[in-house]
Amino acid sequence: MDRIVLFNRLPDGADAPEWIHLLPAGPFKGVDGRGPFKVGNVEEMMRRSMAEAGGRMPIDENHAIDRRAPKGEASPARGWIVELQARADGVWGRVEWTDAGRAMVAGREYRAISPA
C-alpha cells in the first residue's frame, strides 16, 4: 500500500506540542500531488493504525525510518504518537516526545511534521 505524505505545520510556541494535527478532515491531496484521498471510516483507520504500530507510532526525522533504516542506517525516533483522536478538523495525535525531539521542535529546527 502506498503511503500518503502530508505536510502539517507545527504550532508556534516555546515547547513541542502535546497534540499534533496529522490528517485533515474531508478530501485532501498529498504534497506530491497524489489524490484526492478521503478516509471513509476514520475510527476504523485510527484503530487499525494504532494496532499495526503496536500502540506507538514513531515520529522520525526526515523520513529516516523509510529512507535510512532499510540501508541499516540510524533512524531514531524523535517522539511517539500514543493516541489518535478524531476532531472536527481531522485526525490529531498525542505525542510523547523524546528529549532530542522535544529540543528540536522547541529550538525550531523543525517546524512541521510530514506524516507518512
Side-chain angles (χ1 to χ4, degrees):
M1 177 174 163
D2 286 337
R3 291 185 171 187
I4 301 165
V5 179
L6 305 168
F7 184 81
N8 290 330
R9 187 168 163 70
L10 292 170
D12 290 328
D15 196 11
E18 179 181 9
W19 287 90
I20 57 175
H21 191 200
L22 299 170
L23 189 68
F28 61 91
K29 287 187 175 188
V31 294
D32 60 6
R34 288 183 292 159
F37 301 101
K38 184 174 180 3
V39 176
N41 184 333
V42 173
E43 295 295 331
E44 176 65 12
M45 180 274 304
M46 291 188 313
R47 186 196 64 73
R48 281 188 27 226
S49 294
M50 290 303 286
E52 289 173 12
R56 294 171 57 89
M57 294 189 292
I59 295 175
D60 64 1
E61 180 182 346
N62 297 324
H63 299 284
I65 291 170
D66 293 329
R67 295 181 179 165
R68 297 182 72 189
K71 299 176 190 175
E73 299 174 10
S75 59
R78 301 303 186 193
W80 298 92
I81 297 171
V82 296
E83 181 182 351
L84 294 173
Q85 192 176 84
R87 299 181 185 178
D89 59 350
V91 176
W92 288 71
R94 185 170 63 84
V95 180
E96 289 180 357
W97 295 101
T98 63
D99 291 342
R102 182 176 299 285
M104 293 170 102
V105 174
R108 298 180 188 231
E109 294 177 49
Y110 288 91
R111 296 306 305 151
I113 189 158
S114 181

